[in-house]
Amino acid sequence: MHVTSSHSHMKAELKGTSISFQNPTTLFNTPHNPLSGALKGCLGSLDGACIEKLLLHCASALESNDITLAQQVMWVLNNVASPVGDTNQRLTSWFLRALISRASRICPTAMSFKGSNTIQRRLMSVTELAGYVDLIPWHRFGYCASNNEIYKAITGYQRVHILDFSTTHCMQWPTFIDALAKNPEGPPSLRITVPFCRPHVPPMVNVSIHEVGLRLGNFAKFRDVPFEFNIIGNTGPTPAELSDESYSFHFEAMLSLLNPTTLNLREDEALVINCQNWLRYLSDDRKGSRQSHSLRDAFLNIIKGFNPRIVLLVDEDCDLSASSLTSRITTCFNHLWIPFDALETFLPKDNGQRAEFESDIGQKIENIISFEGHQRIERLECGVQMSQRMKNVGYLSVPFCDETVREVKGLLDEHASGWGMKREEGMLVLTWKGNNCVFATAWVPCEIRDHVGMDASLP
């Protein structure tokens, strides 16, 4: 990162975006400034704790509309950040970008924001997407844990129907179809139903959901698994909408389509609900009376009413629901350091796949930090919070069996030694160097506990 300086003006170039910082040196030359000593000591430091402190100072300044102080702290961060540096430098560059984006909306004139503030995304091919999800076990962990529990829950059924709510374009299902094909008693028929559109978040692919379904069908035919692919709703986003930043995912419209008639639910099918990195995008705001449900709870109540054989819920084990910007920065920095650090262990700094993966995380960081209100769609709950929500709505936890644990451990053995797994309060949790990353949980509605052949745990 290049910085030019004079006593009166500095300009930082951040990934093609130009921003002007006025009089940054006053931060260090003002004897009564309580931050001057601490921040001056951080200049050039790569220590994560120091960077986090700087980010929090900047966030506090923005929350109090102190643009001058925010500019000065950004100047210090700019001396640390680098999109091609080490883990801390690369992560800092994305946080700095997000803070600049937020500041430019608070005070556009003072920030002199130039150039595009939009992260450019490249649409991946399905083959490239497969390589993307294989880089680190961030996604495969959930696939593996869920698929094994689904397979166990549908044993004895001749027909299986999976309602799939996920963001990775059905990448979970080829391995599941392959497992069904190996069933010594012959595979059951498999029906997968997906929504007509998904949240406008990475990864993005260059084929429609209809094409994804056709490819899955071809693979299932090759493996001799009877297969049907359905899409809830009959229209989806156009190519223009997919490239339009203003395109929003309307969950309320999708929820109205979740009924037995539209879904063509059948009595002789084992119904499975699969939610991978999905619930975070459903609003948790409660409208109207005190008894009304949020969209998140409404979704969980709707699918509970279908009496599914099992519900799988997988997401990142991190709480990003706080209204406070400083709280979100602390949590986000300490959580999203993980994939940056994991990629650092086996990919060179100039690797294209690494840059693309980090850019997608950068988009998440920007949404978490830059936006508020309905525009802030990244609203994760940690596993413990989500588990309590499931119990409150009327679900019982299903413990993961030993076979699933063995399968997941086998998957992690294929990756770097820093990856691990633990059981925690009914969850399986993916870890990196001991830090929680992703949780996987399995549930059944309370009403059918006595009718399922599994050990469901009481709240």
Side-chain angles (χ1 to χ4, degrees):
M1 184 161 300
H2 177 65
V3 180
T4 57
S5 62
S6 68
H7 290 295
S8 60
H9 177 83
M10 287 194 180
K11 178 181 285 187
E13 298 291 339
L14 178 64
K15 282 189 167 294
T17 298
S18 176
I19 217 160
S20 296
F21 300 139
Q22 302 293 332
N23 297 324
T25 53
T26 59
L27 181 64
F28 307 110
N29 297 333
T30 305
H32 300 296
N33 190 329
L35 303 180
S36 60
L39 298 185
K40 188 173 182 179
C42 283
L43 185 60
S45 171
L46 303 182
D47 175 71
C50 188
I51 293 170
E52 183 181 342
K53 185 189 300 181
L54 288 167
L55 293 171
L56 292 175
H57 285 324
C58 187
S60 296
L62 291 176
E63 285 191 311
S64 60
N65 291 321
D66 189 343
I67 297 299
T68 299
L69 178 57
Q71 289 174 321
Q72 293 166 344
V73 181
M74 286 178 191
W75 178 82
V76 182
L77 285 167
N78 193 63
N79 281 271
V80 175
S82 170
V84 293
D86 65 18
T87 297
N88 284 332
Q89 290 174 306
R90 296 168 84 105
L91 184 59
T92 302
S93 71
W94 286 106
F95 272 85
L96 177 57
R97 180 192 181 99
L99 288 167
I100 290 171
S101 176
R102 185 182 181 100
S104 70
R105 279 190 293 275
I106 295 174
C107 190
T109 303
M111 293 308 296
S112 304
F113 198 90
K114 302 174 185 177
S116 173
N117 143 23
T118 302
I119 298 174
Q120 297 300 315
R121 303 184 201 89
R122 184 180 68 84
L123 301 182
M124 286 183 270
S125 69
V126 174
T127 301
E128 289 171 326
L129 177 61
Y132 176 96
V133 300
D134 281 338
L135 272 181
I136 56 177
W138 207 259
H139 296 290
R140 291 285 184 197
F141 166 80
Y143 298 171
C144 183
S146 299
N147 285 354
N148 208 71
E149 290 299 311
I150 294 171
Y151 192 91
K152 182 181 71 170
I154 65 171
T155 299
Y157 281 82
Q158 295 302 307
R159 298 178 182 274
V160 178
H161 185 188
I162 299 175
L163 295 184
D164 182 31
F165 302 94
S166 62
T167 59
T168 51
H169 312 278
C170 296
M171 286 301 299
Q172 178 175 348
W173 303 122
T175 52
F176 184 72
I177 291 171
D178 194 56
L180 292 181
K182 296 174 182 176
N183 188 330
E185 300 177 0
S189 66
L190 174 63
R191 185 158 63 111
I192 294 178
T193 299
V194 300
F196 64 86
C197 64
R198 61 191 284 283
H200 192 60
V201 296
M204 310 294 287
V205 293
N206 61 4
V207 297
S208 68
I209 188 60
H210 297 83
E211 176 66 20
V212 169
L214 288 173
R215 295 186 184 206
L216 273 180
N218 288 337
F219 180 71
K221 183 177 181 180
F222 172 72
R223 300 296 285 125
D224 293 322
V225 175
F227 183 77
E228 183 181 333
F229 189 80
N230 301 125
I231 301 171
I232 305 173
N234 45 22
T235 60
T238 65
E241 288 173 323
L242 283 174
S243 61
D244 181 1
E245 196 66 26
S246 67
Y247 176 76
S248 61
F249 182 51
H250 299 290
F251 273 107
E252 290 188 62
M254 187 272 291
L255 290 185
S256 69
L257 298 173
L258 296 182
N259 60 75
T261 302
T262 303
L263 297 172
N264 191 22
L265 299 184
R266 303 166 188 167
E267 290 290 337
D268 61 343
E269 289 181 326
L271 180 64
V272 174
I273 312 291
N274 182 67
C275 299
Q276 305 269 334
N277 305 314
W278 180 266
L279 282 184
R280 70 172 87 168
Y281 298 113
L282 275 76
S283 171
D284 196 33
D285 294 335
R286 287 169 171 78
K287 302 175 183 178
S289 69
R290 295 172 62 182
Q291 288 75 36
S292 65
H293 295 295
S294 67
L295 285 180
R296 198 170 296 185
D297 285 339
F299 172 80
L300 294 173
N301 273 303
I302 288 170
I303 61 173
K304 180 166 65 76
F306 298 154
N307 292 326
R309 180 73 179 166
I310 193 168
V311 177
L312 286 308
L313 178 57
V314 177
D315 216 323
E316 295 174 40
D317 196 13
C318 177
D319 178 18
L320 292 173
S321 60
S323 58
S324 164
L325 176 62
T326 52
S327 295
R328 295 202 304 272
I329 282 182
T330 296
T331 306
C332 186
F333 186 81
N334 286 286
H335 175 65
L336 292 179
W337 158 85
I338 295 170
F340 278 81
D341 188 57
L343 292 169
E344 173 82 5
T345 62
F346 71 97
L347 289 177
K349 290 179 170 34
D350 60 352
N351 179 271
Q353 270 191 315
R354 176 179 178 179
E356 195 157 50
F357 202 101
E358 290 177 348
S359 177
D360 286 351
I361 300 170
Q363 180 186 337
K364 185 185 302 184
I365 292 170
E366 187 156 2
N367 186 265
I368 293 164
I369 293 173
S370 300
F371 294 94
E372 296 294 347
H374 70 277
Q375 291 181 304
R376 181 163 62 85
I377 62 172
E378 293 285 347
R379 294 175 181 263
L380 275 165
E381 289 181 297
C382 67
V384 171
Q385 290 172 306
M386 188 59 75
S387 293
Q388 188 58 54
R389 178 185 295 274
M390 293 293 284
K391 293 171 184 176
N392 292 344
V393 172
Y395 288 88
L396 294 171
S397 175
V398 178
F400 287 90
C401 67
D402 291 340
E403 183 182 348
T404 297
V405 172
R406 286 193 298 270
E407 289 282 341
V408 173
K409 286 182 177 178
L411 169 72
L412 298 183
D413 286 343
E414 300 172 8
H415 292 270
S417 59
W419 295 105
M421 183 204 64
K422 63 182 178 182
R423 283 174 159 164
E424 186 176 276
E425 299 190 32
M427 304 181 290
L428 286 188
V429 181
L430 174 70
T431 63
W432 171 254
K433 297 180 178 178
N435 299 283
N436 287 16
C437 307
V438 178
F439 69 86
T441 55
W443 304 87
V444 293
C446 295
E447 291 84 355
I448 66 169
R449 178 188 59 183
D450 296 332
H451 304 288
V452 296
M454 53 186 69
D455 179 20
S457 302
L458 288 168

